[in-house]
Amino acid sequence: MTDNLTVAYRRWGEAWEEAADPQFYSKDRTYVDIAKTITSEDYAYPHDSVPDEFEAETFLWKRCCLESYARTRVKLLEDGKRTRGSPRVATCPWATMRDTMGQTLTTAPRGQENMDGLVYSQFYANIKTPFDDSKVYVFDNEAVENLALDPGYIRSLQQQGGGATFSENVCKGSYLHSKGRAFSNLRDNQRRSYGIREEHRISLTMMDEILAQWDEWGLYDDSVDDARPPLPYYIVPSQELFSFLRAQINKYCFLFEHTLAHTARTYSLPETIVMVIALRALRFCYSSNMLCRESLLYKDRWEQRRGQDLVVKEGLGMRETLEKCGIGWFLPKFSWATRRLAQPHGDNMLVGNLLMHAEYKRRWRAVKDLRDVQ
């Protein structure tokens, strides 16, 4: 073990030279990942042996700092569009929060950074790891949304051979399994610390240039500069953070299960839409996700042209509430008191489920929602 970067890399280089024949690879086309993790002092302690003077902490990237870093690399035109060759930036709000997020910068194939040897840079919080089992996250099975569809409608599709079949028991099992995993993760990890991580994929050629810079660092004494810059991350007690995530998950589980428990033998269209919304929101409420790609949750109102017609689509408008309130919330078009969408918003809602097409709406629009509170 060593805390010297140059020594660590040279040891790796020796192992690489023994394992790889240079005639079979090019340094310009062979890449390594260089990464840094920042975490709490008690990270190395077993979660059940943390001394009393330590408190488990979770670090979260600050949005303002990541955006500031991106501005150093992305060149913009006068109209605000990025210049040709600048890296593409993808941001992922954490748990639908405004001020903390993950970020990925992917270099353009013919951009200067890519030609220099940098492929991408990524910043994320390690708090995602309790919910990640071999890249499978809780509530991430899209097929679970089929639980919101009317059983009679599903049977008719199966009989006519006009729709995709699914197993209700399998979908229920997947949902309950995700709930069990989430419960265990929230309960068992409150005394663990989680840091933040940045990764950069670079070519071996660029890595050699970086190594030269590391060597130069050792020639200078920077101890005279004792001023500490502001931290680019928040420090949150892990117990408080997991309590917040529990509330995030519970509210959408409650919305889905309460609606499902009060359905009749036939699900009305308003009930189906509410249940799909709850299940969709569960996938975005506890980790970093590209919320902007989920129109149902993120957008408010927009128009799409279908042939000669202009079709109005609506979502829950989390983009607006996220910026105003600091957390993504449904616009008032959704009532938590009645657990229904106010009209006419329900008719325009873009649910986007595989089986939520025009035929479904035509069949069930006439079904009276007996549990709708006027």
Side-chain angles (χ1 to χ4, degrees):
M1 296 293 292
T2 178
D3 57 359
N4 188 298
L5 290 173
T6 57
V7 172
Y9 181 71
R10 284 195 169 96
R11 288 179 180 175
W12 177 88
E14 292 172 358
W16 170 258
E17 290 177 358
E18 290 182 3
D21 190 333
Q23 67 176 319
F24 295 110
Y25 71 88
S26 167
K27 281 193 170 185
D28 292 335
R29 301 296 299 273
T30 304
Y31 301 95
V32 296
D33 288 349
I34 181 170
K36 178 176 68 175
T37 298
I38 306 173
T39 191
S40 174
E41 292 182 24
D42 73 345
Y43 179 81
Y45 289 103
H47 71 281
D48 54 351
S49 303
V50 179
D52 292 337
E53 62 268 24
F54 287 101
E55 180 181 41
E57 297 171 330
T58 297
F59 294 178
L60 297 170
W61 286 108
K62 292 180 179 178
R63 171 183 173 181
C64 57
C65 295
L66 293 185
E67 289 179 342
S68 178
Y69 170 78
R71 286 194 293 270
T72 66
R73 291 180 52 185
V74 179
K75 309 304 179 184
L76 301 178
L77 301 172
E78 292 183 357
D79 59 1
K81 296 181 179 179
R82 66 184 184 89
T83 60
R84 187 174 183 179
S86 288
R88 293 184 179 275
V89 181
T91 58
C92 302
W94 179 79
T96 68
M97 299 290 288
R98 176 188 62 202
D99 296 325
T100 179
M101 67 179 188
Q103 179 175 267
T104 300
L105 291 89
T106 307
T107 60
R110 297 183 181 178
Q112 186 61 50
E113 289 186 340
N114 188 276
M115 291 189 292
D116 289 340
L118 176 59
V119 180
Y120 70 79
S121 300
Q122 190 174 30
F123 303 80
Y124 60 89
N126 288 332
I127 185 60
K128 70 174 188 174
T129 55
F131 303 97
D132 177 9
D133 182 8
S134 301
K135 301 300 181 182
V136 178
Y137 291 84
V138 295
F139 303 110
D140 204 35
N141 183 0
E142 296 181 7
V144 172
E145 291 184 11
N146 288 313
L147 293 174
L149 300 177
D150 180 72
Y153 172 68
I154 297 300
R155 286 193 297 270
S156 67
L157 283 180
Q158 293 172 349
Q159 292 171 358
Q160 298 173 10
T165 62
F166 72 98
S167 170
E168 182 179 5
N169 290 333
V170 170
C171 291
K172 284 183 178 180
S174 177
Y175 174 77
L176 293 175
H177 178 68
S178 289
K179 278 191 67 175
R181 276 182 58 193
F183 173 78
S184 298
N185 295 336
L186 294 167
R187 179 195 60 196
D188 298 340
N189 293 286
Q190 297 187 38
R191 297 194 52 150
R192 296 182 185 270
S193 291
Y194 295 92
I196 52 175
R197 186 173 174 87
E198 64 173 287
E199 299 175 356
H200 306 272
R201 179 158 294 179
I202 59 178
S203 68
L204 285 177
T205 300
M206 175 175 278
M207 190 64 231
D208 289 341
E209 296 175 2
I210 293 175
L211 181 62
Q213 295 292 324
W214 287 349
D215 288 332
E216 289 187 13
W217 287 357
L219 302 177
Y220 301 96
D221 182 10
D222 58 356
S223 60
V224 294
D225 186 9
D226 295 328
R228 292 187 176 183
L231 296 176
Y233 52 87
Y234 300 106
I235 302 176
V236 185
S238 293
Q239 188 170 5
E240 293 183 13
L241 184 135
F242 278 100
S243 295
F244 165 74
L245 292 180
R246 180 187 297 273
Q248 282 276 85
I249 294 173
N250 274 346
K251 68 184 178 186
Y252 296 120
C253 285
F254 167 80
L255 180 60
F256 167 69
E257 294 176 21
H258 186 276
T259 305
L260 181 63
H262 289 80
T263 55
R265 301 179 73 177
T266 297
Y267 299 176
S268 68
L269 182 60
E271 289 170 331
T272 292
I273 292 177
V274 169
M275 288 189 285
V276 169
I277 287 172
L279 293 171
R280 191 78 54 87
L282 273 172
R283 304 208 302 266
F284 294 85
C285 71
Y286 64 88
S287 186
S288 296
N289 293 279
M290 296 191 71
L291 183 63
C292 61
R293 290 187 175 181
E294 184 48 66
S295 300
L296 172 65
L297 303 176
Y298 190 69
K299 293 184 179 181
D300 178 11
R301 186 181 185 277
W302 69 103
E303 296 177 344
Q304 289 182 340
R305 184 164 295 281
R306 186 175 297 169
Q308 299 297 321
D309 300 328
L310 204 60
V311 180
V312 175
K313 297 292 185 181
E314 290 194 59
L316 279 303
M318 280 190 173
R319 173 171 54 186
E320 181 176 335
T321 57
L322 189 146
E323 291 298 327
K324 285 185 177 180
C325 309
I327 184 172
W329 197 248
F330 298 161
L331 288 175
K333 63 178 72 176
F334 182 86
S335 170
W336 281 92
T338 62
R339 292 171 295 280
R340 291 293 185 274
L341 286 160
Q343 289 301 324
H345 305 295
D347 292 336
N348 300 330
M349 197 60 58
L350 179 66
V351 177
N353 188 280
L354 174 65
L355 301 179
M356 283 294 296
H357 47 59
E359 179 185 346
Y360 184 92
K361 290 188 176 183
R362 283 196 300 270
R363 174 169 179 174
W364 297 113
R365 193 177 299 277
V367 177
K368 184 178 181 181
D369 184 5
L370 300 177
R371 290 148 301 285
D372 190 13
V373 180
Q374 301 296 334

